[in-house]
Amino acid sequence: MSVVLNPIARTKLSSYIADIARANNVEDAKYTFAVQPVPEQKIIAAYQESADFLKQINVFPVDNAKGEKIGLQIGSSVAGTTDTRVKARTPVAVGTLDLLDEYDCTQTNYDVAYYWSLLNAWKHHPDFKAKLQAMVIKAIALDKLCIGFNGLYRAPTSDRIANPLLQDVKKGWLQKIRDTAPEQHYEGVDDGTGNLVIKVGADNEFKTVDGLVEFAVEEYIAEQHRESGLIAICGRGILSDKYLPLLNTIQDPTEQLAARTIYANKQLGTLQALHVPKFPAKTILITTPDNLSIYMQSGTLNRSIVEQPEWDRAVDFQSVNEDFVVEDYSKCVLLENIEVEA
């Protein structure tokens, strides 16, 4: 059944579209335009504000579609001495330049539809425009995280039904580690069926997840990075396996309060544990948040908003050239196929 856009909702939608056009110095937002630098920076900041983990990582604008990683990590020690009567001083570059792992920004579409029925339901909200903008920003921000943790490759045309975690939109951080730095990727040993598993439990090499995490830090993280604010990013199941026995027991009030305090300060080994939306199950990524980046090519954030009355909606077409980058592979380790036995 066809839905008519209410006059009040239409006035507010028209005002919303006019605001976007005005901010970008275009007459009509229905024609594709490149978002101007100032609004672009505001949009990037809004992405980071709408998803907690995006606040902690880097979202960098870059000029070129391809190039060397920005590499804001300190690659090695820099202190030293030189007898300049014999040789010249040799400065050490601050930042790592990995010519074998350049970034490659390709187009990602973030197209959203505003159905008349939704706009009609919101028509009396005094913050209609802010509400609409926040909904779009939140959806895009969460999808960026989803791609970062689940993206496997870029298909010419992605299939959201076959790949609900956006596996075919873009190669994400975890896949970059698997492909580019397999030495920083541990999947366990053959369980006898041809499958690799990291078994955790009393009868296994790793008695606890804490022990597994400490092993991974010592064996895989470069020595200069071990005291640099590493965290353990994990799926919710990992934390449940560790903390459920603590919480799922009848305790007196004092013990109950202590248990809640321990859970509130969740740790894996000596590292802060962090659950991030859309992160894969049975997986832990040990790194620092600032070792993960999203590069967005400046001038490629394109947008147009058009009405589609045949679908009872308006569509906000958005696209940007972007890439998901691990700055320093020696500062991370990816643990997969973790099985915690009771």
Side-chain angles (χ1 to χ4, degrees), residues 240 242-251 259:
S240 298
K242 176 177 178 178
Y243 287 102
L244 185 59
L246 177 68
L247 300 174
N248 190 33
T249 183
I250 299 175
Q251 303 166 317

Side-chain angles (χ1 to χ4, degrees), residues 20 48-49 58 70 82 84 100 148 166 191 207 220 230 240 248 251 255 281 283 297 318 341:
I20 292 171
Q48 293 183 286
E49 285 300 315
N58 313 301
I70 292 173
T82 305
T84 54
L100 299 178
L166 310 180
D191 65 356
K207 311 302 180 188
Y220 290 90
L230 297 169
S240 298
N248 190 33
Q251 303 166 317
E255 292 174 330
T283 302
Q297 186 184 3
Q318 298 189 45
E341 299 177 344

Side-chain angles (χ1 to χ4, degrees), residues 262-301:
I262 292 171
Y263 184 70
N265 298 291
K266 296 180 285 292
Q267 286 191 294
L268 292 175
T270 57
L271 305 183
Q272 175 195 351
L274 182 65
H275 169 68
V276 180
K278 308 296 186 179
F279 193 83
K282 301 181 180 181
T283 302
I284 298 174
L285 172 63
I286 298 173
T287 191
T288 59
D290 66 359
N291 196 34
L292 304 177
S293 301
I294 300 174
Y295 290 7
M296 298 173 61
Q297 186 184 3
S298 298
T300 67
L301 180 52

Side-chain angles (χ1 to χ4, degrees), residues 180-242:
T180 308
E183 70 279 4
Q184 302 302 115
H185 181 208
Y186 181 57
E187 299 179 88
V189 297
D190 193 324
D191 65 356
T193 65
N195 295 317
L196 296 177
V197 179
I198 304 175
K199 289 189 176 182
V200 178
D203 298 325
N204 300 292
E205 177 185 0
F206 304 110
K207 311 302 180 188
T208 65
V209 178
D210 295 317
L212 170 62
V213 167
E214 289 304 300
F215 162 82
V217 171
E218 292 298 319
E219 293 295 321
Y220 290 90
I221 302 293
E223 187 173 358
Q224 69 267 26
H225 297 316
R226 292 176 193 164
E227 306 296 332
S228 58
L230 297 169
I231 63 172
I233 305 168
C234 57
R236 185 175 297 278
I238 297 290
L239 293 176
S240 298
D241 287 335
K242 176 177 178 178

